C-alpha cells in the first residue's frame, strides 16, 4: 500500500486498501444521516432527484470523500483516479444511490483537468460541492454515431467565437449551468479535423434549452439551441481544431469510469434481488433463475474488465479503441440485469404504481438506452473488430 504525499496540502494520499477501510468506517458512522440517500427523492421526479443528490454531493465533499482523485488545483485532495472508483463502489456497497451528476463529472471533469485546467480550477470545486451541473453537447439530429458530420458552428468573432446550431439528447441539459459543446470551426468539409470543444455558459443570451421526456417517463435530457452565442477566448477547451482529440480523451472516462460506476450499481441491484428471492421462500421459476444467472455472469464480467481499465486510467494510460469492449460489456450487463429483475418481480414491475415499482420500470426502460448512449453497441463492436482484433473491413 503506497502512501504518497500531496505536495500542496501536505496531506498523505491513502493507498486503495486504506481508503476503502476509512471510507467504510465513515459510511458506517454516518448511517443515519445517509439514510435519505438510499433511494431517490420522495416523489421520484428528476428535478427533485437532482436537488436531492446535491445534498449527498455536498456531504461527500465536506467530508473529503468526493474530493479524492481530483487535483488539488481543481478543488480536489489529490491522489489517483482509482480513489474515485473506490467511492462509487463503496457507496453502492452501502446501499446508497450514486448521484446522477457524478456521471457527468466523470465524463467532463477529466477532460477539463487535462485540456482546460483554468476552467477546471474555477468550476470543478463548485461541481464537487453540488452547486453546479454541466452537460455534454455532442450529438445533433443529424450527427450521433457519425459525430464528424456535426453542423453546430463556431465562427471567429473578435478574439472569441459566435456559436450557432442545435444539440440533442443532452443528459441533464435543463439542470446545467455550463455545457462542453463540440462545434465546427473548420470548413464544412473538414470532418473531424475542423472541430473545437467549447465551454458554454448556458445562461448566455441566445441559448435555449428544452427538456425531452424519455420513454421511461423521465425528462432526463434536453435539446439545446444556440443562436449567435458569444464565446470568449477563454471558452476554448484545448486547442482550436483539437476538438476531436479532446472528445476521444473524454470518451475514455465516459466509457471506462462510467462502466465501473454502473457495475457497482448493477451489483447492488442484483444483491437486492437475490435477497428478495430468498425472502419469498419459493423458487422463482426456471426463466427467472436463468435470467438471474446470466445477469450475474454479465455483471461479473463487466467488473473484471472494468477493474483493469480503471487501473489503466488511474495510471494515466490511454486504453484507446479497447475501451469499446468496456462499453459493449456495460450495455449487455445493464440489459441482462434489468431483464432478470423484471422476470423476478413481474407483477410489481408490470402492474404496480408503488414508488419502488415505478423506479424499477424506469430503470428497465433506461437499460434499453445503454446500448445507444456513449457510442452505440454496433459501432463499438465494429471498432473492436477493426481496431483491436484488426479484422478486415467489410465496408
Ligand atoms: C439516454 C441517452 C442519453 C444521452 N446523452 C447524451 C449526452 O449527454 N450528450 C450527447 O451529446 N449525446 C447524448 N446521447 C446521444 C447518443 O450519444 C447518441 O444517441 C448515440 O451516439 C447514437 O447516435 P444516434 O442516436 O444519432 O443514432 P445513429 O447514429 O443514427 O444510429 C442509429 C442506429 O444505427 C447504427 N449505426 C450507426 N452507424 C453505424 C455504423 N457505422 N456501423 C454499424 N451500425 C451503425 C447504430 O448502432 C444504431 O443502432 C444520449 C442518448 C441517450 C439514449
Amino acid at each position: 500500500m503506497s502512501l504518497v504525499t500531496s505536495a500542496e496540502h501536505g496531506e498523505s494520499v491513502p493507498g486503495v486498501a486504506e481508503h476503502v477501510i476509512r471510507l467504510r468506517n465513515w459510511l458506517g458512522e454516518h448511517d443515519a444521516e445517509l439514510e435519505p440517500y438510499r433511494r431517490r427523492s420522495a416523489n421520484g421526479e428528476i428535478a427533485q432527484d437532482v436537488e436531492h443528490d446535491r445534498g449527498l454531493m455536498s456531504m461527500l465533499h465536506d467530508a473529503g470523500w468526493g474530493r479524492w482523485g481530483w487535483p488539488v488545483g481543481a478543488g480536489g485532495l489529490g491522489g489517483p483516479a482509482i480513489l474515485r472508483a473506490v467511492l462509487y463502489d463503496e457507496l453502492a456497497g452501502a446501499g446508497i444511490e450514486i448521484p446522477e451528476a457524478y456521471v457527468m463529472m466523470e465524463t467532463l471533469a477529466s477532460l477539463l483537468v487535462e485540456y482546460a485546467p483554468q476552467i477546471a480550477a474555477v468550476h470543478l470545486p463548485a461541481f464537487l460541492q453540488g452547486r453546479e451541473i454541466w452537460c455534454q453537447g455532442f450529438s445533433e439530429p443529424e450527427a450521433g454515431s457519425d459525430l464528424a458530420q456535426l453542423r453546430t458552428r463556431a465562427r471567429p468573432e473578435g478574439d472569441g467565437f459566435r456559436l450557432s446550431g442545435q444539440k440533442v439528447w443532452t443528459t441533464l441539459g435543463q439542470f446545467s449551468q455550463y455545457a462542453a459543446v463540440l462545434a465546427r470551426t473548420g470548413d464544412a468539409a473538414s470532418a473531424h479535423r475542423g472541430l473545437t470543444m467549447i465551454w458554454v455558459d448556458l445562461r448566455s443570451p441566445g441559448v435555449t434549452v428544452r427538456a425531452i421526456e424519455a420513454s421511461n417517463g423521465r425528462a432526463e435530457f434536453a435539446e439545446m439551441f444556440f443562436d449567435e452565442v458569444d464565446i470568449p477566448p477563454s471558452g476554448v477547451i484545448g486547442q482550436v481544431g483539437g476538438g476531436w482529440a479532446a472528445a476521444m480523451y473524454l470518451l475514455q472516462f465516459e466509457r471506462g469510469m462510467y462502466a465501473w460506476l454502473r457495475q457497482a450499481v448493477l451489483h447492488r441491484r442484483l444483491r437486492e434481488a437475490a435477497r428478495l428471492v430468498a425472502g419469498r421462500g419459493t423458487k422463482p421459476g426456471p426463466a427467472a433463475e436463468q435470467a438471474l444467472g446470466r445477469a450475474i455472469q454479465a455483471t461479473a464480467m463487466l467488473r473484471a474488465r472494468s477493474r483493469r481499465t480503471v487501473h489503466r486510467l488511474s495510471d494515466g494510460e490511454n486504453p484507446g479503441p479497447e475501451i469499446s469492449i468496456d462499453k459493449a460489456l456495460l450495455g449487455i450487463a445493464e440489459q441482462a440485469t434489468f431483464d432478470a429483475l423484471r422476470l423476478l418481480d413481474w407483477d410489481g414491475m408490470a402492474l404496480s404504481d408503488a414508488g419502488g415499482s415505478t423506479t424499477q420500470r424506469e430503470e428497465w426502460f433506461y437499460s434499453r438506452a445503454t446500448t445507444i448512449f456513449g457510442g452505440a453497441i454496433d459501432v463499438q463492436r465494429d471498432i473492436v473488430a477493426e481496431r483491436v482484433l484488426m479484422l478486415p473491413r467489410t465496408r
Side-chain angles (χ1 to χ4, degrees):
M1 182 191 348
S2 69
L3 278 177
V4 186
T5 298
S6 159
E8 286 161 76
H9 267 207
E11 284 187 48
S12 60
V13 175
V16 170
E18 184 191 359
H19 197 59
V20 169
I21 292 167
R22 282 202 214 159
L23 178 52
R24 270 189 202 165
N25 286 343
W26 183 85
L27 290 167
E29 287 158 14
H30 293 80
D31 196 52
E33 289 153 78
L34 289 164
E35 183 54 31
Y37 301 112
R38 295 189 195 287
R39 62 203 73 82
R40 293 179 186 165
S41 66
N43 71 2
E45 291 292 327
I46 183 138
Q48 273 72 34
D49 291 348
V50 168
E51 286 311 311
H52 177 77
D53 285 351
R54 287 185 203 274
L56 178 57
M57 288 170 70
S58 156
M59 190 174 167
L60 292 171
H61 171 272
D62 294 350
W65 304 112
R67 299 173 67 197
W68 287 110
W70 296 112
V72 173
L77 291 175
I82 202 160
L83 299 182
R84 309 198 302 262
V86 168
L87 175 64
Y88 309 142
D89 216 31
E90 292 302 318
L91 285 177
I96 292 163
E97 291 290 332
I98 299 175
E100 295 200 32
Y102 270 7
V103 173
M104 215 39 79
M105 179 179 76
E106 267 310 330
T107 307
L108 295 179
S110 307
L111 168 79
L112 295 178
V113 163
E114 186 69 19
Y115 281 78
Q118 75 288 358
I119 298 179
V122 174
H123 294 284
L124 186 52
F127 199 112
L128 293 173
Q129 289 164 32
R131 291 192 289 110
E132 250 182 36
I133 294 182
W134 319 322
C135 60
Q136 177 199 44
F138 285 13
S139 305
E140 299 185 2
E142 303 299 327
S145 301
D146 196 0
L147 258 188
Q149 298 309 315
L150 65 81
R151 293 191 199 153
T152 292
R153 184 145 194 84
R155 69 176 161 75
E157 179 75 28
D159 291 342
F161 291 92
R162 280 274 168 88
L163 182 73
S164 293
Q166 181 191 353
K167 295 290 174 181
V168 74
W169 314 128
T170 315
T171 298
L172 300 179
Q174 65 275 45
F175 306 108
S176 299
Q177 290 76 47
Y178 295 89
V181 170
L182 198 57
R184 184 161 304 287
T185 41
D187 61 35
S190 61
H192 63 278
R193 293 180 309 281
L195 303 177
T196 301
M197 190 81 79
I198 288 175
W199 186 246
V200 182
D201 182 341
L202 294 174
R203 292 154 299 189
S204 308
V207 178
T208 307
V209 181
R210 285 206 303 243
I212 304 176
E213 191 174 296
S215 58
N216 66 0
R218 275 165 81 80
E220 72 117 40
F221 42 35
E223 52 188 344
M224 305 192 288
F225 300 87
F226 305 106
D227 182 10
E228 297 283 301
V229 178
D230 266 329
I231 307 293
S234 58
V236 173
I237 300 172
Q239 302 292 320
V240 174
W244 191 255
M248 292 305 111
Y249 179 83
L250 163 159
L251 281 175
Q252 313 267 341
F253 291 89
E254 180 171 353
R255 293 176 183 159
M257 278 300 229
Y258 177 60
W260 175 263
L261 185 156
R262 286 300 303 175
Q263 68 74 31
V265 175
L266 297 179
H267 272 98
R268 174 186 168 198
R269 298 285 187 271
L270 288 169
R271 274 195 303 274
E272 287 169 354
R275 268 202 296 274
L276 179 90
V277 171
R280 279 187 195 143
T282 51
K283 279 170 78 69
E289 274 179 5
Q290 278 173 20
L292 186 57
R294 269 198 301 274
I296 290 170
Q297 193 181 32
T299 309
M301 225 154 41
L302 173 66
R303 184 177 173 92
R305 168 76 197 178
S306 188
R307 183 179 180 279
R308 182 162 171 266
T309 300
V310 164
H311 275 279
R312 291 174 76 182
L313 288 170
S314 195
D315 291 345
E317 206 185 310
N318 180 339
E322 278 188 38
I323 203 75
S324 293
I325 298 173
D326 302 58
K327 181 62 183 58
L329 288 178
L330 172 64
I332 293 164
E334 290 265 6
Q335 295 186 356
T337 297
F338 291 104
D339 280 344
L341 300 194
R342 187 175 56 127
L343 287 171
L344 285 167
D345 188 17
W346 180 266
D347 288 351
M349 233 204 229
L351 304 172
S352 170
D353 277 331
S357 301
T358 310
T359 303
Q360 273 186 339
R361 209 160 33 236
E362 283 170 4
E363 289 194 320
W364 183 87
F365 270 107
Y366 200 78
S367 70
R368 305 302 105 175
T370 57
T371 48
I372 302 173
F373 63 69
I377 194 164
D378 316 84
V379 177
Q380 304 310 307
R381 285 179 167 140
D382 277 352
I383 293 172
V384 173
E386 291 170 3
R387 296 180 52 206
V388 179
L389 301 174
M390 305 310 257
L391 298 178
R393 280 173 179 261
T394 50
R395 286 164 284 120

